[in-house]
Structure formats: C-alpha cells, structure tokens
Amino acid sequence: MGESKGRVIAIGDVHGCADELDAMLDKIAPTVDDTLVFLGDIINRGPDSARVIKTVKSLGNARCLLGNHELRLLRYHHEGDPDILKAYDWETLKQIGRDDWAFLESLELTISYPELETVFVHGGFLPDRPWTEQGPEIVTSIQVIDTETGQYGKRSQFANSVSWAERWKGPPFVVCGHTPREDVYRRPWSLCIDTACVYGGKLTAYDVKAEKFLQIQAKKKYID
Ligand SMILES: [Mn+2]
C-alpha cells in the first residue's frame, strides 16, 4: 500500500544500464515528495548492475519490485544450485556485495496505490484470478498466454499466444515492465513500459498522476 502527495513515477527495466538511469534521474529530478517505483530487472545483461543497485539504494524515495532476474539470483543465494544460473548472472554475482543481498531480499512482489487504482508488477497477471493471489513465479515471468492451453510463459515458448494484457480487465490498472518492445504498450487496463534500453532502445519512466512519459535513449546496444 502506498500514498503519495507528490508524483508517483514508474521506471522500466534498467538491466544494468547505469548511465541511462543517471540521465533519467537527472531528467526526473525527484523531490522529497515524489516516489519512484522501479519495475524490477534492474540488474543483468547490461554493463553495470552493481552501480544500478547502488544508485537505487541511495534514493531516499524509491521502491523496487522483484523481477525474474533478481528472483533467480535470490533463489541461487538461498538454495545454492548453480545450474539455474545464466552466464550474465555470474557477471552480476561477481559485482555485488553482502549489503546488496539485503537490498535484493527487500524487493516487493507488487506495489499497490489504491487511491490511484493502480498496481505495479514486474511481469503481469493471469486474467482469471485475483491479482493478490498470484505468486512470484507467475507475476515476475508472465508475458503471454497460450491461446490453446491457457498456459502462461514467454513469447518464444508458444506458436499462438496472446499478451496477458490483452485479457486483463481491471480494475486495478496495471503498470509493468518485463516484455521488451520498441514502444510502450498501452491497453485499456494496463501499460508496459519496458522499451528495451539494454537492447539499444530507450529507458522509459511514467508519471502516473500526470499520465506523462519520460524517455532516455540508450547510449548503445549492449546486447543483441
Ligand atoms: Mn523480466
């Protein structure tokens, strides 16, 4: 739950793009009344995950969601099974220290602002059950729903699928990241602002009350 007299600004998937995040924070110029909501996947793939964590931790007025990348690292941290890790996880593991684990443990699954009728989540929700009853496995990873079986997963997993957002009927209005696209993806009851910064796209932020976007062009294409 949250209440805010200032702006409430969501920031899409940073993925280690520390320079673009710095540029975005300069552009936003947050005041003490504002709240910044990071939509998760602030780490991995990009050049400097540790610096992004340091920056987010240093902001007095930021909240951060759990993304599938942070979830996988935490799982490794708790269970110790290296087989679940991907190559870029090892890069991030080399960069981060003990205090960063405490930060990762503090990430939130969902952030709700009832007065704005808005819920923030990394990936999205299944349309057929209450959002409050959906666990980390679903809400950090869902991109699409298989039109034949109703299974959820990544776009690449199914031949015929539809974005979860196509099926989502609010309220609440949902603001999310996780599914990179060239542009923001707006549906009647949702908004995805992952505009593929780490792939050479843009970092996007969204001011919920003003319904206004802020964008920073990526300095380069960090990965294909
Ligand atoms: Mn993600």
Side-chain angles (χ1 to χ4, degrees):
M1 299 282 183
E3 264 183 60
S4 179
K5 54 181 171 164
R7 293 176 294 175
V8 177
I9 299 178
I11 299 176
D13 303 37
V14 180
H15 275 307
C17 296
D19 290 342
E20 288 79 359
L21 176 57
D22 285 347
M24 178 61 85
L25 293 172
D26 284 346
K27 191 164 191 162
I28 294 172
T31 73
V32 289
D33 288 335
D34 297 334
T35 305
L36 303 180
V37 177
F38 286 87
L39 293 177
D41 281 1
I42 64 170
I43 59 164
N44 280 356
R45 290 195 163 125
D48 204 336
S49 295
R51 183 149 73 88
V52 170
I53 291 176
K54 194 173 169 207
T55 300
V56 175
K57 278 161 70 176
S58 75
L59 297 165
N61 48 356
R63 300 177 71 176
C64 188
L65 287 164
L66 182 69
N68 53 305
H69 285 262
E70 291 91 6
L71 177 63
R72 194 172 53 250
L73 281 191
L74 283 168
R75 220 156 245 172
Y76 168 70
H77 193 59
H78 293 155
E79 295 162 19
D81 177 7
D83 291 344
I84 66 169
L85 296 178
K86 309 198 179 197
Y88 41 67
D89 292 328
W90 291 107
E91 291 303 309
T92 301
L93 284 170
K94 274 189 266 174
Q95 293 176 18
I96 62 176
R98 205 168 64 169
D99 290 350
D100 297 326
W101 287 110
F103 169 76
L104 292 173
E105 299 280 3
S106 77
L107 301 185
E108 301 173 83
L109 197 58
T110 57
I111 295 173
S112 171
Y113 281 81
E115 80 273 23
L116 303 176
E117 291 189 301
T118 299
V119 172
F120 301 92
V121 68
H122 177 63
F125 296 114
L126 283 168
D128 59 359
R129 68 186 86 159
W131 66 269
T132 49
E133 291 169 18
Q134 303 188 35
E137 218 43 76
I138 301 170
V139 309
T140 67
S141 76
I142 189 169
Q143 289 187 330
V144 295
I145 295 164
D146 185 348
T147 47
E148 280 161 43
T149 65
Q151 273 185 293
Y152 70 90
K154 295 200 284 190
R155 285 178 292 195
S156 56
Q157 284 178 271
F158 308 111
N160 295 298
S161 64
V162 63
S163 167
W164 69 272
E166 288 290 339
R167 301 253 171 105
W168 178 255
K169 305 272 188 289
F173 188 76
V174 176
V175 178
C176 66
H178 183 55
T179 304
R181 294 180 179 89
E182 212 169 301
D183 281 309
V184 300
Y185 183 66
R186 176 133 206 178
R187 308 307 304 149
W189 289 102
S190 65
L191 175 68
C192 175
I193 62 166
D194 182 356
T195 45
C197 186
V198 77
Y199 301 98
K202 289 164 277 188
L203 182 63
T204 296
Y206 179 65
D207 180 331
V208 177
K209 291 177 185 172
E211 299 186 27
K212 195 181 131 201
F213 294 100
L214 299 103
Q215 292 191 311
I216 298 293
Q217 175 65 48
K219 278 167 62 185
K220 58 178 272 198
K221 188 174 182 171
Y222 296 99
I223 55 160
D224 281 319

